[in-house]
Amino acid sequence: MMLKRLIPAVACAALLVACASPGEGSSAAKPATVAAAVAEADAAVAAGQRDKAFALLKTASLAFPTDKTPLVRMAQMRFDANDYGEAIVHAQDALARDPDDLLANSIAAVSGLRVTSKALGELTRKSKLNGDVKSEAESLAKLLRTSLGEDVLVPNKARPTPKPTPKTPASNTSKTASSSSSDPFGALK
């Protein structure tokens, strides 16, 4: 009876060990350095093989888990492909390794804003932007205006605001008219 239970358990364990060990047909070889992997990915992008480049960067990110470079490159690739959700994920992974990375922060922020603006556009189009969602969107817009130091997030370029012309008091105009035309600074005296 015990033998009937032991044989399948040993067979499963052997199968798991065989699957876990790398074989000769293993296609994902560990790159020598991150720089070599990035250079190889750049060559693949130049050849128009974006999927291969992404796979190379993914392998490099697994081989060098503390290095942010492959993750930032993957985030940039996904951002360029308008896949903002994946761009955010990879940028956040890079930021976990280096919270001060400006490019990763920028990719995460802009991707998030693009996802948000698309969702808000859909909600507005479907007239379902009300209540809590509307007040939260207004709060976010206020936070963005404060962060950017702008009164208006998207300036209206259709109607330029006229610049006010300074008004001169009536008493100064009479002095200007009576002053000599040969002295251009006469009105200033």
Side-chain angles (χ1 to χ4, degrees):
M1 185 77 163
M2 190 167 156
L3 191 58
K4 286 183 182 179
R5 290 184 188 166
L6 187 60
I7 291 177
V10 170
C12 286
L15 184 62
L16 288 174
V17 169
C19 289
S21 64
E24 300 128 14
S26 179
S27 62
K30 181 179 176 181
T33 64
V34 173
V38 169
E40 193 174 347
D42 287 343
V45 167
Q49 301 171 330
R50 296 195 182 282
D51 291 337
K52 180 182 177 184
F54 191 82
L56 289 167
L57 291 170
K58 182 74 172 169
T59 302
S61 72
L62 294 172
F64 303 98
T66 58
D67 198 323
K68 67 177 180 176
T69 307
L71 294 166
V72 173
R73 297 298 291 265
M74 289 190 301
Q76 184 68 55
M77 286 180 73
R78 290 303 188 219
F79 180 84
D80 292 342
N82 298 332
D83 186 358
Y84 301 119
E86 286 290 319
I88 292 170
V89 169
H90 295 301
Q92 290 296 323
D93 287 345
L95 288 170
R97 285 147 183 82
D98 181 10
D100 296 328
D101 188 280
L102 186 60
L103 181 58
N105 271 311
S106 298
I107 291 171
V110 174
S111 295
L113 288 172
R114 289 190 177 172
V115 168
T116 302
S117 65
K118 181 179 177 186
L120 286 174
E122 286 296 314
L123 283 172
T124 302
R125 188 178 62 79
K126 294 178 181 179
S127 298
K128 300 211 179 194
L129 187 62
N130 55 25
D132 291 337
V133 176
K134 183 176 181 178
S135 63
E136 189 170 340
E138 289 171 346
S139 297
L140 288 172
K142 182 179 178 183
L143 177 66
L144 281 172
R145 284 193 299 268
T146 303
S147 297
L148 296 173
E150 297 289 331
D151 292 333
V152 178
L153 287 178
V154 181
N156 187 0
K157 294 183 181 179
R159 283 187 277 153
T161 56
K163 294 181 182 177
T165 57
K167 295 183 178 182
T168 56
S171 61
N172 285 346
T173 55
S174 63
K175 280 185 178 179
T176 308
S178 65
S179 67
S180 170
S181 61
S182 64
D183 185 11
F185 300 109
L188 298 175
K189 294 180 184 176

